[in-house]
Coordinates of all heavy atoms in Angstrom, one line a residue:
T18 N -48.7 5.0 -3.0 CA -47.6 4.5 -2.2 C -46.9 3.3 -2.8 O -47.6 2.3 -3.2 CB -48.0 4.1 -0.7 OG1 -48.6 5.3 -0.1 CG2 -46.8 3.6 0.1
P19 N -45.6 3.3 -3.0 CA -44.9 2.1 -3.5 C -45.2 0.9 -2.6 O -45.1 1.0 -1.4 CB -43.4 2.4 -3.5 CG -43.4 3.9 -3.6 CD -44.6 4.4 -2.8
L20 N -45.6 -0.3 -3.2 CA -45.9 -1.5 -2.5 C -44.7 -2.4 -2.5 O -44.6 -3.2 -1.5 CB -47.1 -2.2 -3.1 CG -48.4 -1.3 -3.2 CD1 -49.5 -2.1 -3.9 CD2 -48.8 -0.8 -1.8
A21 N -44.0 -2.5 -3.6 CA -42.9 -3.4 -3.7 C -41.9 -2.9 -4.7 O -42.2 -1.9 -5.4 CB -43.4 -4.8 -4.1
R22 N -40.7 -3.5 -4.7 CA -39.8 -3.1 -5.8 C -39.5 -4.3 -6.7 O -39.3 -5.5 -6.2 CB -38.4 -2.7 -5.2 CG -38.6 -1.4 -4.4 CD -37.2 -0.7 -4.1 NE -36.6 -0.2 -5.4 CZ -36.9 1.0 -5.9 NH1 -37.8 1.8 -5.3 NH2 -36.3 1.4 -7.0
I23 N -39.6 -4.1 -8.0 CA -39.4 -5.2 -9.0 C -38.2 -4.9 -9.7 O -38.0 -3.8 -10.3 CB -40.6 -5.2 -9.9 CG1 -42.0 -5.2 -9.2 CG2 -40.5 -6.4 -10.9 CD1 -42.2 -6.4 -8.3
R24 N -37.2 -5.9 -9.7 CA -36.0 -5.7 -10.5 C -36.3 -6.1 -11.9 O -36.7 -7.3 -12.2 CB -34.9 -6.6 -9.9 CG -33.6 -6.4 -10.7 CD -32.4 -7.0 -10.0 NE -32.1 -6.2 -8.8 CZ -31.3 -5.0 -8.9 NH1 -30.9 -4.6 -10.0 NH2 -31.1 -4.4 -7.8
A25 N -36.3 -5.2 -12.8 CA -36.7 -5.4 -14.2 C -35.8 -6.5 -14.9 O -34.6 -6.6 -14.6 CB -36.6 -4.1 -15.0
E26 N -36.5 -7.3 -15.7 CA -35.8 -8.3 -16.5 C -34.7 -7.7 -17.4 O -35.0 -6.8 -18.1 CB -36.8 -9.1 -17.3 CG -36.3 -10.4 -17.9 CD -37.3 -11.2 -18.6 OE1 -38.5 -10.7 -18.7 OE2 -37.0 -12.2 -19.2
G27 N -33.5 -8.3 -17.4 CA -32.4 -7.7 -18.1 C -32.3 -8.3 -19.5 O -31.2 -8.2 -20.1
G28 N -33.3 -8.9 -20.1 CA -33.3 -9.4 -21.4 C -33.1 -10.8 -21.5 O -33.3 -11.4 -22.6
G29 N -32.7 -11.5 -20.4 CA -32.5 -12.9 -20.4 C -33.8 -13.7 -20.1 O -34.8 -13.0 -19.9
A30 N -33.7 -15.0 -20.1 CA -34.9 -15.8 -19.8 C -35.3 -15.6 -18.3 O -34.4 -15.2 -17.5 CB -34.6 -17.2 -20.0
L31 N -36.5 -15.8 -18.0 CA -37.0 -15.7 -16.6 C -36.2 -16.7 -15.8 O -36.0 -17.8 -16.2 CB -38.5 -16.0 -16.5 CG -39.4 -14.9 -17.0 CD1 -40.9 -15.3 -16.9 CD2 -39.2 -13.6 -16.3
G32 N -35.8 -16.3 -14.6 CA -35.0 -17.2 -13.7 C -33.6 -16.8 -13.7 O -32.8 -17.3 -12.9
T33 N -33.1 -16.0 -14.7 CA -31.7 -15.6 -14.7 C -31.5 -14.3 -14.0 O -32.5 -13.5 -13.8 CB -31.2 -15.4 -16.2 OG1 -32.0 -14.4 -16.8 CG2 -31.4 -16.7 -17.0
P34 N -30.3 -14.0 -13.5 CA -30.1 -12.7 -12.8 C -30.5 -11.5 -13.6 O -30.2 -11.5 -14.8 CB -28.6 -12.8 -12.4 CG -28.3 -14.2 -12.5 CD -29.1 -14.8 -13.5
A35 N -31.1 -10.6 -13.0 CA -31.5 -9.3 -13.7 C -30.5 -8.3 -13.5 O -29.9 -8.2 -12.4 CB -32.9 -8.9 -13.3
T36 N -30.3 -7.4 -14.5 CA -29.3 -6.4 -14.4 C -29.9 -5.0 -14.4 O -29.2 -4.0 -14.1 CB -28.2 -6.5 -15.5 OG1 -28.9 -6.5 -16.8 CG2 -27.5 -7.8 -15.4
A37 N -31.1 -4.9 -14.9 CA -31.8 -3.6 -15.0 C -32.1 -3.0 -13.6 O -32.2 -3.8 -12.6 CB -33.0 -3.7 -15.8
P38 N -32.3 -1.7 -13.5 CA -32.6 -1.1 -12.2 C -34.0 -1.6 -11.7 O -34.9 -1.9 -12.5 CB -32.6 0.4 -12.4 CG -32.8 0.5 -13.9 CD -32.1 -0.7 -14.5
S39 N -34.2 -1.6 -10.4 CA -35.5 -2.0 -9.9 C -36.6 -0.9 -10.1 O -36.2 0.3 -10.2 CB -35.4 -2.3 -8.4 OG -34.9 -1.2 -7.7
I40 N -37.8 -1.3 -10.1 CA -39.0 -0.4 -10.5 C -40.0 -0.5 -9.4 O -40.4 -1.6 -8.9 CB -39.6 -0.8 -11.8 CG1 -38.5 -0.8 -12.9 CG2 -40.8 0.0 -12.1 CD1 -39.0 -1.5 -14.2
P41 N -40.5 0.6 -8.8 CA -41.5 0.5 -7.8 C -42.9 0.1 -8.3 O -43.2 0.5 -9.4 CB -41.5 2.0 -7.2 CG -41.1 2.8 -8.3 CD -40.1 2.0 -9.1
L42 N -43.6 -0.7 -7.5 CA -44.9 -1.1 -7.8 C -45.9 -0.3 -6.9 O -45.6 -0.4 -5.7 CB -45.1 -2.6 -7.7 CG -46.6 -3.1 -7.6 CD1 -47.2 -3.0 -9.0 CD2 -46.5 -4.5 -7.1
S43 N -46.9 0.4 -7.4 CA -47.8 1.1 -6.5 C -49.2 0.9 -6.9 O -49.5 0.4 -8.0 CB -47.4 2.6 -6.5 OG -47.5 3.1 -7.7
V44 N -50.1 1.3 -6.0 CA -51.5 1.3 -6.3 C -51.9 2.4 -7.3 O -51.7 3.6 -6.9 CB -52.4 1.3 -5.1 CG1 -53.9 1.2 -5.4 CG2 -52.0 0.3 -4.1
P45 N -52.5 2.1 -8.5 CA -52.9 3.2 -9.3 C -54.1 4.0 -8.8 O -54.9 3.4 -8.1 CB -53.2 2.5 -10.7 CG -53.6 1.2 -10.2 CD -52.8 0.8 -9.0
P46 N -54.3 5.3 -9.1 CA -55.5 5.9 -8.7 C -56.7 5.3 -9.3 O -56.7 4.9 -10.5 CB -55.3 7.4 -9.2 CG -53.8 7.5 -9.4 CD -53.3 6.1 -9.8
L47 N -57.8 5.1 -8.5 CA -59.0 4.6 -9.0 C -59.9 5.7 -9.4 O -60.5 6.4 -8.5 CB -59.6 3.6 -8.0 CG -58.7 2.6 -7.4 CD1 -59.4 1.7 -6.4 CD2 -58.1 1.7 -8.6
V48 N -60.1 5.9 -10.7 CA -60.9 7.1 -11.1 C -62.3 6.8 -11.6 O -63.1 7.7 -11.8 CB -60.1 7.8 -12.2 CG1 -58.8 8.3 -11.7 CG2 -59.9 6.9 -13.5
A49 N -62.6 5.5 -11.9 CA -63.9 5.2 -12.4 C -64.8 5.0 -11.2 O -64.4 4.8 -10.0 CB -63.8 3.9 -13.2
P50 N -66.2 5.0 -11.4 CA -67.1 4.7 -10.4 C -66.8 3.4 -9.7 O -66.3 2.5 -10.3 CB -68.5 4.7 -11.1 CG -68.3 5.6 -12.2 CD -66.9 5.3 -12.7
P51 N -67.2 3.2 -8.5 CA -66.6 2.1 -7.7 C -67.3 0.8 -8.0 O -68.4 0.6 -8.5 CB -67.0 2.5 -6.2 CG -68.2 3.3 -6.4 CD -68.0 4.1 -7.7
S52 N -66.5 -0.3 -7.7 CA -67.1 -1.6 -7.6 C -67.7 -1.7 -6.2 O -67.6 -0.8 -5.4 CB -66.0 -2.7 -7.7 OG -65.0 -2.5 -6.7
L53 N -68.4 -2.8 -6.0 CA -69.3 -2.9 -4.8 C -68.5 -3.3 -3.6 O -67.9 -4.3 -3.5 CB -70.4 -3.9 -5.0 CG -71.5 -3.9 -4.0 CD1 -72.2 -2.6 -3.9 CD2 -72.5 -5.0 -4.3
P54 N -68.4 -2.4 -2.5 CA -67.7 -2.8 -1.3 C -68.5 -3.9 -0.6 O -69.7 -3.9 -0.6 CB -67.7 -1.5 -0.5 CG -68.0 -0.4 -1.4 CD -68.9 -1.0 -2.5
L55 N -67.8 -4.9 -0.1 CA -68.4 -6.0 0.6 C -68.0 -6.0 2.1 O -66.8 -5.7 2.4 CB -68.1 -7.3 -0.1 CG -68.4 -7.4 -1.5 CD1 -68.0 -8.8 -2.1 CD2 -69.9 -7.2 -1.7
V56 N -68.8 -6.5 2.9 CA -68.5 -6.7 4.3 C -68.5 -8.2 4.6 O -69.4 -8.9 4.2 CB -69.5 -6.0 5.3 CG1 -69.2 -6.3 6.7 CG2 -69.5 -4.5 5.0
A57 N -67.5 -8.7 5.2 CA -67.4 -10.1 5.5 C -68.5 -10.5 6.4 O -68.9 -9.8 7.3 CB -66.0 -10.4 6.1
P58 N -69.1 -11.8 6.2 CA -70.1 -12.2 7.1 C -69.6 -12.3 8.5 O -68.5 -12.7 8.8 CB -70.4 -13.7 6.5 CG -69.8 -13.7 5.2 CD -68.7 -12.7 5.2
R59 N -70.5 -12.0 9.5 CA -70.1 -12.1 10.9 C -69.6 -13.5 11.3 O -68.7 -13.6 12.1 CB -71.3 -11.7 11.7 CG -71.8 -10.3 11.5 CD -72.9 -9.9 12.5 NE -73.3 -8.5 12.4 CZ -74.3 -8.2 11.6 NH1 -75.0 -9.1 11.0 NH2 -74.7 -6.9 11.5
A60 N -70.2 -14.5 10.7 CA -69.8 -15.9 11.1 C -68.4 -16.2 10.7 O -67.8 -17.1 11.3 CB -70.7 -16.9 10.4
A61 N -67.8 -15.4 9.8 CA -66.4 -15.7 9.3 C -65.4 -14.7 9.7 O -64.3 -14.6 9.3 CB -66.4 -15.9 7.8
S62 N -65.9 -13.8 10.6 CA -65.0 -12.6 10.9 C -63.7 -12.9 11.6 O -62.8 -12.2 11.6 CB -65.8 -11.6 11.8 OG -66.2 -12.3 13.0
G63 N -63.7 -14.1 12.3 CA -62.4 -14.5 13.0 C -61.5 -15.3 12.1 O -60.4 -15.6 12.6
V64 N -61.8 -15.5 10.9 CA -60.9 -16.3 10.0 C -60.1 -15.3 9.1 O -60.6 -14.4 8.5 CB -61.8 -17.2 9.0 CG1 -60.9 -18.0 8.1 CG2 -62.6 -18.1 9.9

């Protein structure tokens, strides 16, 4: 699913107006074996 839209840099320095079309940012498929899921400690569950 697209998470955000990024207006591509138009060749100028960062901070200048961009002219290129925007590009969607999405979560890539995770195909490798998993990292370790963690559950937050009960003591911090309200934070």
Side-chain angles (χ1 to χ4, degrees):
T18 299
L20 303 179
R22 295 195 70 84
I23 310 298
R24 181 166 290 278
E26 189 178 2
L31 288 178
T33 61
T36 58
S39 57
I40 302 167
L42 164 72
S43 60
V44 183
L47 306 180
V48 297
S52 58
L53 190 61
L55 302 179
V56 176
R59 294 187 180 93
S62 59
V64 179

